Amino acid sequence: MTFTDGRPPILQVKNLVTRFYMPEGVIHAVNGVSFDLGEGETLGVVGESGCGKSVTMLSVMQLIARPPGRIESGEAWFHGKDLLRLSNEEIRHVRGAQMAMVFQDPMTSLNPVLNIQKQVSEPLMLHLGMSKNQARDRVIELLRLVGIPEAEKRLLDYPHQFSGGMRQRVMIAMALACNPQILVADEPTTALDVTIQAQIVDLVKRLRDEIGMSIIWITHDLGVVARLAQRVVVMYAGFIIEEALVKELYANPTHPYTIGLLGSLPKLIEEERRKLTTIQGRPPLLYEKPLICPFAPRCSYAFDRCWQENPPLAEVDTQHRVACWWNVKEGKARNG
């Protein structure tokens, strides 16, 4: 894929397949996922819990636990290198330096027995070869950048001495330490209250504009995606089932699952207020790779073909793709 500005993507993921071999059976967590990320772009990845959002990016960065996880096949091209084929030593020089990740719960991501200075300075000394004093000065600069007041006085504090929002800011500072080209944010605002969520989102937007990095924002919150992302992919049962520019997706959702997700959002505008919709049923357990449409058991539009084969991701408009046999807008089956 070439973006509208003519530049090639900074990251290309092709046909990624990841499975977990558990005592109960094999979990087909990611089933042939492909997507591109543009330079300076923010890509939203949405879907309910267990749909494969986090596992997709953990696989790209080789962070899944092996065993029980295993990357069965696929490619992830970044600066001419397939990240999935790099050795442990090679991928360590990519993680933190060129690609960084912010996790959902900073209290479990930060080491409780190390002060903030030690934790944030580690990637600076490891990847950039800074001295202890140089790293200290850079840590102060980073803490100020992410909005932590009196940063110099907080260097020797421990994670439990920070609030949830401030801990997440520390995690963002650590992720930005080496000026990565790609920041992966894995539901970083889920554990925070609404006010702090808004502050974190505004902070990331500002940093993105100042630094020019690309962002992959993993979330189940479509409201956050609307504020932050330019493009969004919707995942279900380990598949991408819809992909579009954010404005196009919100104005013209095409997959029944996406329509259900957007229908569950409360509206503030009086003329748009209506009863919230629900998606009946439960997501599949994925002990077997779906050979039919994985959403068919929960879909009110499902017809014979949906129970016979899984639809591929096909283009329905410019930069808009969907995996569905039914054309909801026209009320008839799709060709092909």
Side-chain angles (χ1 to χ4, degrees):
M1 178 178 180
T2 301
F3 291 85
T4 53
D5 59 6
R7 292 180 295 181
I10 190 172
L11 175 68
Q12 286 183 294
V13 177
K14 301 178 181 179
N15 300 313
L16 177 65
V17 176
T18 301
R19 295 174 183 161
F20 289 88
Y21 290 83
M22 312 295 288
E24 302 83 2
V26 180
I27 299 175
H28 297 72
V30 180
N31 299 304
V33 164
S34 301
F35 66 88
D36 295 341
L37 176 69
E39 189 174 339
E41 179 189 32
T42 300
L43 176 69
V45 182
V46 303
E48 59 197 338
S49 297
C51 70
K53 306 185 302 293
S54 299
V55 175
T56 295
M57 291 314 305
L58 289 172
S59 298
V60 168
M61 299 180 73
Q62 292 199 38
L63 285 172
I64 62 167
R66 293 183 282 186
R70 185 191 299 171
I71 301 170
E72 298 286 353
S73 60
E75 303 171 8
W77 291 96
F78 176 65
H79 287 312
K81 296 180 180 179
D82 183 358
L83 300 178
L84 305 185
R85 302 291 177 267
L86 298 184
S87 66
N88 290 336
E89 183 64 25
E90 289 171 328
I91 195 67
R92 282 180 65 242
H93 290 290
V94 174
R95 292 195 300 250
Q98 297 169 287
M99 295 178 66
M101 196 162 187
V102 179
F103 295 95
Q104 179 174 338
D105 185 0
M107 200 57 195
T108 57
S109 301
L110 292 168
N111 191 323
V113 300
L114 295 179
N115 62 48
I116 296 304
Q117 179 179 334
K118 286 185 178 179
Q119 297 193 59
V120 181
S121 63
E122 183 179 11
L124 295 169
M125 292 187 286
L126 176 65
H127 295 297
L128 302 183
M130 288 188 179
S131 67
K132 191 172 182 180
N133 287 335
Q134 288 174 325
R136 180 183 181 277
D137 293 340
R138 176 61 175 158
V139 172
I140 294 172
E141 181 184 337
L142 287 164
L143 295 181
R144 288 172 177 164
L145 182 68
V146 298
I148 293 181
E150 299 184 309
E152 196 165 351
K153 297 180 180 179
R154 304 301 305 268
L155 289 178
L156 301 182
D157 286 351
Y158 291 82
H160 72 272
Q161 295 175 276
F162 289 78
S163 67
M166 287 298 171
R167 283 195 293 267
Q168 197 60 281
R169 288 172 186 262
V170 171
M171 285 297 300
I172 294 172
M174 191 183 305
L176 297 178
C178 299
N179 295 319
Q181 294 170 286
I182 299 176
L183 175 68
V184 179
D186 188 2
E187 304 203 42
T189 62
T190 299
L192 307 176
D193 64 58
V194 176
T195 303
I196 304 301
Q197 282 185 24
Q199 292 177 5
I200 295 297
V201 171
D202 288 341
L203 168 65
V204 173
K205 287 175 66 177
R206 177 173 61 81
L207 294 175
R208 176 194 65 194
D209 296 339
E210 290 178 2
I211 300 172
M213 62 186 175
S214 303
I215 298 172
I216 297 175
W217 190 279
I218 302 168
T219 185
H220 60 266
D221 189 337
L222 285 160
V224 171
V225 170
R227 293 182 57 196
L228 188 63
Q230 287 95 35
R231 194 163 52 90
V232 59
V233 297
V234 183
M235 291 192 66
Y236 186 81
F239 295 92
I240 291 178
I241 52 95
E242 188 159 9
E243 176 185 359
L245 298 175
V246 169
K247 291 183 179 179
E248 168 66 12
L249 188 86
Y250 280 69
N252 185 31
T254 305
H255 197 283
Y257 178 66
T258 310
I259 294 170
L261 286 180
L262 291 171
S264 68
L265 291 176
K267 307 293 184 182
L268 296 179
I269 303 174
E270 186 66 38
E271 56 268 25
E272 293 186 0
R273 288 183 185 177
R274 50 182 165 73
K275 185 177 179 180
L276 299 182
T277 61
T278 58
I279 300 175
Q280 300 299 319
R282 296 180 179 180
L285 295 176
L286 294 182
Y287 283 113
E288 294 183 6
K289 181 180 178 180
L291 299 178
I292 65 169
C293 174
F295 189 62
R298 307 173 69 185
C299 182
S300 59
Y301 297 98
F303 66 110
D304 291 348
R305 193 174 186 182
C306 304
W307 296 96
Q308 296 168 357
E309 55 183 321
N310 194 355
L313 200 60
E315 191 169 287
V316 294
D317 204 345
T318 305
Q319 297 191 50
H320 191 166
R321 301 188 299 163
V322 67
C324 185
W325 294 126
W326 188 256
N327 189 323
V328 176
K329 187 175 182 180
E330 297 181 7
K332 64 179 183 180
R334 296 185 187 277
N335 296 324

